[in-house]
Amino acid sequence: MSSFIKVGQENSMPIELYYEDHGSGSPIVLIHGWPLSASSWEKQTAALLGAGHRVIAYDRRGFGRSSQPSGGYDYNTFAADLDAVLTTLSLTEVGLVGFSMGTGEVTRYVAKYGSKRVRKAVLIGTLGPYLVKADGNPEGVDASVFDGIRAAITADRPSFLIEFLRNFYNYDITGGKLVSERVLEANWNVAVSASAIGTLACVNAWGEDFRKDISQNDVPTLILHGDADRILPPDATSRRQAKMIKDVQFVELKGGPHGVLWTHAEEVNAELVKFLA
């Protein structure tokens, strides 16, 4: 089944999140990456349903089939949206699984709302602990990179998105082998249909400092990351974050680009099913 959960109001319009809720058993909530939607989890959904889980996947505000408000594109609001999903559906003992931008929701949610509803956490292609280079964060990515992304989105969002997706999959290496041009087209159609305002505003959210949040993570956590990730290089992200979590398993996917949910689906699914059992 699919339906909508109301998470707010903007003028005359309700702000609603689209979600799908399938299967039965131990619940897993899937939180997608930018600039895609819950449909990007198709290979994982099938594997988790096959393993006997109830699988709930929703579209972040501004993306997919959810409402496209003009604001709320920050991690406190995203975490509140996730909380609305969990409370509306009365979910407990949840496996929270985030990919890329969705790892921020998982991290902020556990820090802000605690782990009373959460059994385990999975971070795939994580953007933590703190992506932007700053005083006290020399391992981060130079702020000018994000300025360039914002400028490119503002100038020509459709063109930027197709280039982004090529790097998302390391298409020059994986194209025609691990990912087809049709997948790129399908992703582009989803991405270009997202809120133009939200697509741009999310770039600011990537600069969030999650270091304090991570220290409050008290649930068993699995981190999966492609070692050839060009979007969120593991040196700036997962390799650092893994050292900051008490109960962690860290798996690097050899040759994996950012878009491992598709290119390395069998490996990702095997790790997910094993960890979430």
Side-chain angles (χ1 to χ4, degrees), residues 17 96 131 135 151 251:
L17 302 183
L96 273 187
L131 203 51
D135 290 344
V251 178

Side-chain angles (χ1 to χ4, degrees), residues 20-24 26-28 30 45 48-49 53-57:
E20 296 193 0
D21 184 353
H22 301 291
S24 58
S26 166
I28 309 296
L30 303 174
T45 298
L48 290 165
L49 287 171
H53 289 284
R54 176 182 174 186
V55 181
I56 299 103

Side-chain angles (χ1 to χ4, degrees), residues 207-228:
E208 193 80 21
D209 183 350
F210 289 105
R211 290 175 296 185
K212 285 197 179 83
D213 301 273
I214 293 165
S215 68
Q216 296 176 70
N217 178 359
D218 59 355
V219 296
T221 302
L222 171 67
I223 296 179
L224 298 174
H225 211 114
D227 69 3

Side-chain angles (χ1 to χ4, degrees), residues 165-185 230 255-257 259 262-264:
L165 289 166
R166 287 191 185 114
N167 281 318
F168 189 92
Y169 290 113
N170 296 3
Y171 193 74
D172 51 322
I173 295 165
T174 61
K177 302 183 197 69
L178 300 177
V179 64
S180 68
E181 209 177 325
R182 300 291 87 84
V183 171
L184 245 59
E185 286 172 5
R230 295 175 189 171
W262 188 273
T263 61
H264 289 59

Side-chain angles (χ1 to χ4, degrees), residues 85-98:
V85 171
L86 299 182
T87 52
T88 302
L89 301 180
S90 303
L91 296 172
T92 56
E93 292 290 298
V94 173
L96 273 187
V97 183

